[in-house]
Amino acid sequence: MSALEPRDADADTGINTGINADAALPVPGAASGGVLGRDYRVLSVGIVSVVFLIAFEATAVGTAMPVAARELHGIPLYAFAFSAYFTTSLFAMVLSGQWADRRGPLGPLAAGISAFGAGLLLSGTAGSMWMFIAGRAVQGLGGGLVIVALYVVISRAYPEHLRPSIMAAFAASWVIPSVVGPLAAGSVTEHLGWRWVFVGIPVLVVFPLALALPEIRRRASGPADPAAPVEPYDRRRIRLALGISLGAALLQYAGQERDWFALLPAVVGFGLLVPAVRGLLPPGTGRAARGLPSVVLLRGVAAGSFIAAESFVPLMLVTQRGLSPTLAGLSLAAGGGTWALGSYVQARPRLEPYRERLMVGGMVLVAAAIAAAPSVLIDSVPVWTVAVAWAFGCFGMGMVLASTSVLLLKLSPPEEAGANSAALQIADGLSNVLLLAAGGAAFAALGGGVVGAVHEAAEAGASGSHPGAFAVVFLPMAGVALVGAWVAARVRTKP
């Protein structure tokens, strides 16, 4: 499941009404005056519907991706199909933060949803893998605009005591897409073709736009302080955002090429990336300084390690264990419910004093889940092991990511909510790009580039496997997640 792709992106998103009936998860604050009370009902349903669209896309597209990459002869570029989204979203996040702080979140939200749908259509009609990747890049621009704008909406429209509840409602929305998305996408892929998965999703854009935008215009449009003069856009931050996107793309390209000529783009990319990261993230993020810097760093470590591993789960199950795209996608379905449960747990008021411990425990669960996933490369291990492991990992992610969102808004004054939300999402997206690039390079180096050919040969009666190509993705990511457990212990401003 793609991370910012908002469950990363938040990556804690979905539809609020109807979730409780299916998931039996009470939504905190649903009483009068809560997120579903008279004052907030329309807004809550509207913005959660926007995230529901992104949640459905993430689960559906992830299911269709292995087939799309194979038919477009793009298995060696498989990681690019995911990381292109995050690369362009890095720039869009900074732009969205400035746009929302100065003009309100309505504009970036509308533009982002439009770009999101356009990217899906471009990928769905692509005739080559690189065109497919270009569509994912356009989609990333839209996703980056949307996710930051939603954080600003929450910061402006909801009081602090309701923010954990709306974050929990976001996470609950992954329950239905996590089950329906892989099943629908797998069936469509097998009977109609993978392209219909991409071109069919944009029709869902109309309802969120019609429902959410009028209410956002009423509650959260315009600058945070209408009486204050509107500051000009920070051109330096925009240049840094371009630098971070270009630098991440160059490093990813260099990692994919794996030859001496790749050293030049690697050096240039590193030179662009380092000053951009230092300028866009809170001071002290790199050394895990206590408070906001550790919150931002934790978001990146958690999302990056989890998404880099999860992106390869369907491909591993399809090519190494012979599962259909439907079954491979459904192996992750239980994670939607446990993710929502984890987010619900962190929203309990009586657990607020223990938020740091919950986050540490959540990262330990994530590390254990990632380490357990490649055990299915052993034929004697049942394939449902992945589903069980991922359910526990998603529970941990639900606690961690929702908590980072709550802490970020708590530590940010209203006029800085957009910039700090952008920093959180930049850490998320950049970590996704770099860890996907590292995982993709290791995957290709150990024979991942011929996994698709091996799978086709196996279907024709030949044998062969490249389990090491998958193991070298999952096991390092489990180590990164363990580092996240240490960072989680530093989110408090005082030891």
Side-chain angles (χ1 to χ4, degrees):
M1 192 173 299
S2 140
L4 253 157
E5 290 184 14
R7 197 176 71 171
D8 121 352
D10 167 340
D12 324 290
T13 54
I15 198 164
N16 201 8
T17 58
I19 284 291
N20 294 332
D22 293 310
L25 285 176
V27 176
S32 177
V35 296
L36 287 182
R38 181 178 58 190
D39 293 339
Y40 296 99
R41 184 181 301 123
V42 175
L43 177 62
S44 297
V45 172
I47 63 174
V48 176
S49 296
V50 171
V51 183
F52 177 79
L53 166 66
I54 300 174
F56 187 83
E57 179 274 340
T59 55
V61 168
T63 300
M65 197 75 78
V67 177
R70 195 169 64 217
E71 290 190 6
L72 292 173
H73 307 290
I75 289 290
L77 301 174
Y78 184 77
F80 272 102
F82 291 95
S83 57
Y85 179 102
F86 300 113
T87 300
T88 55
S89 69
L90 291 170
F91 170 72
M93 289 169 187
V94 175
L95 177 61
S96 183
Q98 295 205 29
W99 190 352
D101 281 342
R102 287 158 178 77
R103 304 291 180 182
L106 185 63
L109 186 60
I113 292 178
S114 300
F116 194 78
L120 282 167
L121 291 175
L122 183 58
S123 290
T125 57
S128 67
M129 190 63 178
W130 281 113
M131 185 60 68
F132 180 88
I133 292 170
R136 293 286 292 165
V138 173
Q139 198 181 339
L141 287 172
L145 290 171
V146 168
I147 190 63
V148 174
L150 284 177
Y151 273 69
V152 177
V153 170
I154 294 171
S155 175
R156 293 192 185 184
Y158 292 89
E160 183 175 331
H161 73 279
L162 288 182
R163 291 171 190 167
S165 299
I166 193 65
M167 293 296 178
F170 279 4
S173 69
W174 281 85
V175 176
I176 291 178
S178 294
V179 176
V180 176
L183 182 62
S187 298
V188 170
T189 298
E190 292 175 24
H191 296 98
L192 298 177
W194 62 268
R195 296 183 185 276
W196 288 100
V197 175
F198 289 84
V199 300
I201 292 176
V203 300
L204 300 175
V205 170
V206 177
F207 174 72
L209 280 176
L211 190 63
L213 296 187
E215 191 67 13
I216 293 172
R217 181 182 292 110
R218 185 175 72 87
R219 287 181 172 272
S221 62
D225 184 2
V230 178
E231 296 183 5
Y233 284 85
D234 188 338
R235 296 180 183 275
R236 175 179 173 273
R237 287 185 65 85
I238 293 178
R239 287 195 300 269
L240 290 175
L242 286 172
I244 202 171
S245 294
L246 182 58
L250 288 172
L251 283 175
Q252 182 182 353
Y253 172 79
Q256 192 73 26
E257 290 300 308
R258 306 186 318 280
D259 56 34
W260 289 107
F261 293 104
L263 287 177
L264 178 59
V267 171
V268 174
F270 187 78
L272 289 170
L273 201 61
V274 172
V277 168
R278 290 172 62 89
L280 292 173
L281 299 186
T285 299
R287 55 184 174 84
R290 290 190 175 274
L292 183 62
S294 284
V295 172
V296 171
L297 180 61
L298 176 61
R299 180 59 164 257
V301 170
S305 59
F306 188 81
I307 295 304
E310 188 180 58
S311 298
F312 283 87
V313 169
L315 184 66
M316 178 176 65
L317 295 177
V318 169
T319 60
Q320 302 299 296
R321 296 301 296 264
L323 268 65
S324 68
T326 303
L327 291 177
L330 284 174
S331 67
L332 306 178
T338 56
W339 190 301
L341 181 60
S343 185
Y344 172 78
V345 167
Q346 65 80 35
R348 297 295 78 208
R350 66 177 178 271
L351 293 179
E352 178 61 32
Y354 308 103
R355 186 174 295 279
E356 178 186 322
R357 296 182 186 178
L358 291 175
M359 297 168 78
V360 172
M363 288 309 303
V364 171
L365 287 175
V366 171
I370 296 173
S375 65
V376 299
L377 294 169
I378 303 172
D379 290 339
S380 59
V381 176
V383 293
W384 50 258
T385 302
V386 171
V388 174
W390 228 246
F392 281 99
C394 285
F395 178 78
M397 286 293 288
M399 290 192 297
V400 172
L401 262 64
S403 291
T404 59
S405 301
V406 171
L407 288 174
L408 177 104
L409 295 177
K410 183 177 181 179
L411 296 172
S412 301
E415 65 275 10
E416 297 178 8
N420 287 343
S421 295
L424 188 76
Q425 301 304 328
I426 286 169
D428 187 320
L430 179 61
S431 179
N432 287 334
V433 171
L434 295 181
L435 292 180
L436 274 167
F443 177 74
L446 289 187
V450 297
V451 162
V454 168
H455 179 60
E456 291 172 0
E459 289 180 337
S463 61
S465 180
H466 288 266
F470 290 96
V472 79
V473 173
F474 288 96
L475 297 182
M477 296 308 157
V480 174
L482 279 179
V483 173
W486 172 76
V487 177
R490 299 179 58 80
V491 296
R492 284 186 181 178
T493 55
K494 295 182 180 180

